[in-house]
Amino acid sequence: MKKIYIFLLAAVLFTACKKADTDNRIIVEPPYQKLISSDTLTSGQLFGLTIGQTSADLYAKLQQVQVAEKIGGLSIVNNVYTSIDSLKTRLPLYTGIFMDEESGTSTGVQLSFENNKVKAIFLNNGTKLTHWPVNFAQNNTIAIGDPVDGIYQKLVNIKKNPSSAKKLERLSIFFKDNNKPYDPQMSASPQWYFVSTISAKRYVYVTLNFTAGKLVSIYTAEFESQ
């Protein structure tokens, strides 16, 4: 999973400048990223995001400025759970979920959402699926086009089968849909990050660091694609 997480981080940076063709899974070498400058703020504000703000207030401000500042999707660190019940009302607030065994495997499952429906299903090894689990009856599988609101109940049904239950030992919802309401559990995360696009080849990678649900520092790194 560590390799996958690093790959996704690189993908976030790359797609801030160029939209990837995820449907066809064309894998290309990302362009070289030159670091222009970096800084850490422990007072003041960036984009109206102010040191000392609670995570709830900060998220509301982020929603207000995301268009003007060309802010991409928000990633939430350590948003990992072991119980399906934890996702019952929260899954629709995110743009995807990773499901795997406790130790992480090449056959862990990645779902991505768009327009409140399942957009894509992949295994960690890159295999593209139309539904998962592959050998289940249709009413007990998650398929491309399924409404996100119905995923929770399908996961409950899938967990009843021992052959698929192990893939639900670790549930990760890292990527927040900024257009959806605040998730109170976000206050437990020590770090959020996002990319703000400056131009076609330049962007700022922003890390928001929290202590006890309050913003304590903002790290910024400006990059240019070569």
Side-chain angles (χ1 to χ4, degrees):
M1 284 298 293
K2 184 176 181 181
K3 288 184 179 179
I4 294 168
Y5 183 77
I6 293 172
F7 170 77
L8 287 168
L9 177 58
V12 168
L13 297 178
F14 178 54
T15 55
C17 302
K18 180 177 181 180
K19 183 176 177 59
D21 186 354
T22 55
D23 288 337
N24 293 326
R25 298 291 284 185
I26 297 175
I27 300 175
V28 297
E29 188 69 22
Y32 171 71
Q33 310 296 315
K34 179 181 178 182
L35 178 63
I36 304 300
S37 63
S38 63
D39 192 17
T40 299
L41 301 177
T42 56
S43 63
Q45 58 85 31
L46 174 73
F47 304 149
L49 310 176
T50 306
I51 301 296
Q53 274 186 308
T54 65
S55 58
D57 289 343
L58 188 143
Y59 183 74
K61 185 62 178 181
L62 188 68
Q63 287 183 307
Q64 292 176 9
V65 303
Q66 64 176 332
V67 175
E69 302 298 343
K70 298 181 180 178
I71 292 173
L74 180 67
S75 297
I76 311 298
V77 173
N78 289 354
N79 213 14
V80 181
Y81 305 90
T82 58
S83 170
I84 294 174
D85 291 343
S86 302
L87 307 179
K88 187 172 184 178
T89 59
R90 300 170 54 227
L91 192 55
L93 304 179
Y94 291 78
T95 60
I97 179 173
F98 295 170
M99 303 176 289
D100 208 343
E101 299 175 26
E102 183 178 357
S103 59
T105 70
S106 64
T107 52
V109 184
Q110 304 178 21
L111 306 180
S112 65
F113 309 144
E114 186 174 270
N115 297 323
N116 298 312
K117 293 183 179 181
V118 176
K119 178 184 179 182
I121 306 172
F122 286 96
L123 300 184
N124 288 347
N125 61 18
T127 301
K128 185 176 182 179
L129 304 177
T130 58
H131 63 281
W132 178 85
V134 295
N135 296 319
F136 278 34
Q138 186 174 0
N139 61 330
N140 285 329
T141 66
I142 298 170
I144 292 176
D146 280 352
V148 174
D149 288 345
I151 299 300
Y152 168 76
Q153 187 55 54
K154 288 201 170 188
L155 291 176
V156 171
N157 295 338
I158 289 169
K159 191 169 184 178
K160 294 176 182 177
N161 191 308
S163 66
S164 58
K166 286 188 67 64
K167 295 303 179 189
L168 304 180
E169 290 177 347
R170 184 167 66 177
L171 308 164
S172 307
I173 45 176
F174 296 128
F175 304 113
K176 185 71 177 65
D177 186 337
N178 297 349
N179 297 310
K180 298 290 184 67
Y182 174 72
D183 174 9
Q185 194 60 33
M186 292 166 62
S187 65
S189 173
Q191 192 175 81
W192 303 353
Y193 63 86
F194 62 84
V195 170
S196 173
T197 302
I198 299 173
S199 66
K201 290 190 174 183
R202 189 169 289 201
Y203 60 90
V204 178
Y205 173 73
V206 180
T207 304
L208 307 176
N209 299 301
F210 296 87
T211 297
K214 289 189 176 181
L215 184 65
V216 294
S217 67
I218 303 173
Y219 171 77
T220 60
E222 185 175 336
F223 290 90
E224 184 175 66
S225 299
Q226 301 298 298

